[in-house]
Amino acid sequence: MKRSLRRALWAGAVVAVTVAAVPVTTAFGAGTVTTTFTRAQDWGTGHETRVTVTNGSSAAISTWRIEFDLPSGTTISSAWDADVTSSGNHYVAVKKSWAGGIAPGASFSWGYNGTGAFKAPLNCTINGAACGGGTPPPTTTPPTTTPPTTTPPTTPPPTTPPPTTPPPNTGGKKVVGYFAEWGVYGRNYHVKNIQTSGSAAKLTHILYAFGNTTGGRCSIGDSYADYEKAYTAADSVDGVADTWDQPLRGSFNQLRKLKQMNPHLKVIWSFGGWTWSGGFTQAAQNPAAFAESCYNLVEDPRWADVFDGIDVDWEYPNACGLTCDTSGPNAFKNVISALRSKFGSSALVTAAITADGSNGGKIDATDYAGAIGNLNWLMPMTYDYFGAFAAQGPTAPHSPLTSYTGIPQQGFNSDAAIQKLKSKGVPANKLLLGIGFYGRGWTGVTQAAPGGSATGAAPGTYEAGIEDYKVLKNTCPATGTIAGTAYAKCGSNWWSYDTPSTINGKMTYANNQGLGGAFFWELSGDTSNGELIGAIKGGLG
């Protein structure tokens, strides 16, 4: 159940942007089905619009189609959670294939970024019926932040630059995604892909994985990928090539450019992971020295503006992962305290932790609640509970939301971890629910339902037993669900993974539990148009 197991195997949230301005809304109606265009943000040379389809009828609607014109000077530059096409200034938006119907009284939201100032759409129709029009009243309160864009504005937004201090842990839901540094090699996944997929507009935070902890100190994980690799114009996030003499290249420079294009984004440097957690044992012997080394690295003048804080991915304090730690139940709390003291109150300090909710399991081994006062949030890794590391099975979903009859291990499910952490005193709004953008699978399986025997790991693109969602959705489409997640049997292979539909259910759970949002491992597993991130964003509301 170690998310970062893929660190060794492969090396080879969302939430709408919080705005200060009062939204301006334009509604159109077609009978009892309405469409609302809300100006989320407007910075003069561009804007962000949230579109909500509400079913006010007594019957479910299975699909929807919105057609509208945008006034001269306004165009759509990017959209999410709807398929949008255009001909001149005429736009058509239709329901994505993964989005379900809209029940009576329910609604569905999608959004777009546009060039020019916000202007109310004209000639709107919804499902072919004519819609009325309206003109938004002027706003007198300028936004204090610049919303996400797919392409940078033609001129710098005339707003006050966003503060360097991260927002407090209140307000909107967080959508946090891992970017794996080694993905720039065989996976050919680069920072640019975060932008072109539309994911940058939906993320609130990116976790850059991983920095090393060898010798009880923070150190560089891969200098070539991090800050040496030269990017061509075609591969660069902003279309500008690196030069041989520039002071910073690699993914760090690409992340800097991504943040410039998406000022709402924060980037956190994650240290440890399955492979590099061994150094935390020595770090716990001198937390102040460890914190000093981490601060000096994260705040290195070459890239200090790239990172907004540090993430600790210790697998596992006072328990066993790749190696065993016997630092005691207070070690994690002491390390986090030292990091907060060194980084200060304005930096983000977060942690990915075990999701073992069993009695006497890994959550019980460490005082996570004692550390929460110095953390912005905790991320229990609620995936990798089951997989072909148990080669003979039984087959089981690797990220069950709840327990179910026949689950191989009690306490190995998301809800068990969340409830245990809450019972120990961790506030719900400081917990994020974990989602895997990949599946785990077995081969030699004859039983379609979970609980069957197997002969080993199913073949995978990078490693047996593991496959990206973007591959599985086509090669082994889900045929059933159990415990809030999906599974499928294709030939003799059996896979479990999350889909947009099951993610929507998990986000409903996160909302009902009052959680602070969701996080996922990792960006390259999603489709090229960000289906799974879209489901997280839409589900969190």
Side-chain angles (χ1 to χ4, degrees):
M1 54 179 238
K2 300 95 176 171
R3 181 239 338 128
S4 299
L5 177 57
R6 292 188 306 289
R7 172 65 178 89
L9 297 179
W10 288 3
V14 203
V15 76
V17 179
T18 302
V19 295
V22 177
V24 177
T25 301
T26 301
F28 303 96
T32 53
V33 179
T34 60
T35 302
T36 302
F37 290 74
T38 300
R39 172 169 55 193
Q41 296 194 72
D42 190 335
W43 63 103
T45 57
H47 63 278
E48 178 191 352
T49 299
R50 184 179 180 89
V51 186
T52 303
V53 180
T54 301
N55 181 11
S57 72
S58 59
I61 57 174
S62 60
T63 188
W64 48 263
R65 175 188 177 94
I66 303 170
E67 295 195 40
F68 57 94
D69 298 323
L70 287 180
S72 176
T74 301
T75 62
I76 293 178
S77 57
S78 66
W80 52 92
D81 299 337
D83 291 322
V84 180
T85 57
S86 66
S87 176
N89 69 336
H90 185 73
Y91 291 86
V92 177
V94 298
K95 181 178 77 72
K96 278 191 171 291
S97 60
W98 54 258
I102 305 177
S107 61
F108 179 88
S109 292
W110 59 279
Y112 64 82
N113 291 326
T115 59
F118 174 88
K119 295 179 182 178
L122 306 172
N123 308 317
C124 179
T125 64
I126 180 170
N127 287 352
C131 304
T135 302
T139 179
T140 56
T141 307
T144 57
T145 58
T146 303
T149 56
T150 294
T151 56
T154 55
T155 58
T159 53
T160 303
T164 55
T165 300
N169 192 37
T170 57
K173 301 287 187 178
K174 296 167 184 65
V175 179
V176 184
Y178 277 93
F179 178 90
E181 67 183 355
W182 58 92
V184 303
Y185 299 120
R187 289 181 156 266
N188 196 30
Y189 189 89
H190 306 275
V191 174
K192 177 182 179 180
N193 297 103
I194 306 175
Q195 184 73 8
T196 58
S197 64
S199 301
K202 302 171 187 177
L203 287 162
T204 60
H205 301 78
I206 293 172
L207 290 164
Y208 187 83
F210 286 107
N212 206 336
T213 64
T214 300
R217 298 289 187 271
C218 282
S219 58
I220 287 289
D222 180 342
S223 62
Y224 179 77
D226 292 348
Y227 59 84
E228 294 170 354
K229 175 179 168 60
Y231 275 84
T232 64
D235 292 335
S236 179
V237 70
D238 64 351
V240 178
D242 291 341
T243 60
W244 68 270
D245 58 346
Q246 69 186 52
L248 185 67
R249 298 187 294 190
S251 293
F252 287 2
N253 186 51
Q254 294 296 305
L255 286 168
R256 172 185 285 163
K257 293 181 175 185
L258 187 71
K259 289 180 68 176
Q260 291 169 349
M261 297 167 68
N262 301 273
H264 73 286
L265 264 180
K266 304 295 182 184
V267 179
I268 307 169
W269 197 345
S270 183
F271 287 83
W274 181 253
T275 304
W276 287 339
S277 280
F280 282 119
T281 298
Q282 188 172 344
Q285 298 170 13
N286 191 343
F290 174 70
E292 178 80 18
S293 73
C294 297
Y295 182 85
N296 291 339
L297 183 60
V298 175
E299 296 298 323
D300 186 296
R302 291 171 290 177
W303 50 70
D305 61 318
V306 174
F307 297 106
D308 299 285
I310 186 171
D311 174 70
V312 171
D313 193 337
W314 183 352
E315 302 181 22
Y316 299 97
N318 204 37
C320 295
L322 184 62
T323 58
C324 289
D325 175 77
T326 56
S327 299
N330 294 324
F332 177 80
K333 176 173 63 177
N334 293 340
V335 167
I336 296 299
S337 177
L339 288 170
R340 175 58 73 191
S341 178
K342 183 62 185 178
F343 276 81
S345 60
S346 64
L348 292 169
V349 180
T350 66
I353 67 169
T354 177
D356 176 0
S358 64
N359 292 330
K362 291 183 175 66
I363 288 178
D364 290 332
T366 297
D367 185 10
Y368 290 111
I372 198 62
N374 285 316
L375 288 163
N376 290 81
W377 64 76
L378 274 176
M379 296 173 286
M381 295 179 284
T382 49
Y383 37 70
D384 290 347
Y385 283 110
F386 308 107
F389 38 82
Q392 310 305 311
T395 58
H398 81 84
S399 185
L401 178 61
T402 60
S403 186
Y404 63 92
T405 301
I407 192 169
Q409 171 70 45
Q410 291 302 316
F412 276 30
N413 64 82
S414 305
D415 181 62
I418 295 296
Q419 300 309 326
K420 181 178 279 285
L421 288 163
K422 288 170 67 173
S423 72
K424 290 177 178 293
V426 178
N429 69 351
K430 282 196 172 186
L431 288 172
L432 307 188
L433 186 67
I435 303 291
F437 280 13
Y438 61 95
R440 284 191 173 274
W442 289 262
T443 193
V445 180
T446 59
Q447 177 177 312
S453 60
T455 59
T461 301
Y462 301 99
E463 179 68 25
I466 298 171
E467 189 57 274
D468 291 346
Y469 165 77
K470 66 176 182 278
V471 174
L472 289 172
K473 68 166 290 192
N474 297 314
T475 62
C476 194
T479 55
T481 59
I482 189 169
T485 190
Y487 65 88
K489 181 178 179 293
C490 303
S492 64
N493 297 328
W494 193 96
W495 291 95
S496 75
Y497 57 95
D498 273 307
T499 66
S501 176
T502 63
I503 286 175
N504 186 68
K506 288 186 174 185
M507 295 307 99
T508 298
Y509 169 88
N511 289 334
N512 291 342
Q513 290 290 322
L515 304 188
F519 76 102
F520 60 87
W521 181 275
E522 48 87 22
L523 281 154
S524 71
D526 205 353
T527 60
S528 61
N529 62 346
E531 279 184 22
L532 299 186
I533 294 180
I536 292 176
K537 181 179 188 297
L540 288 175

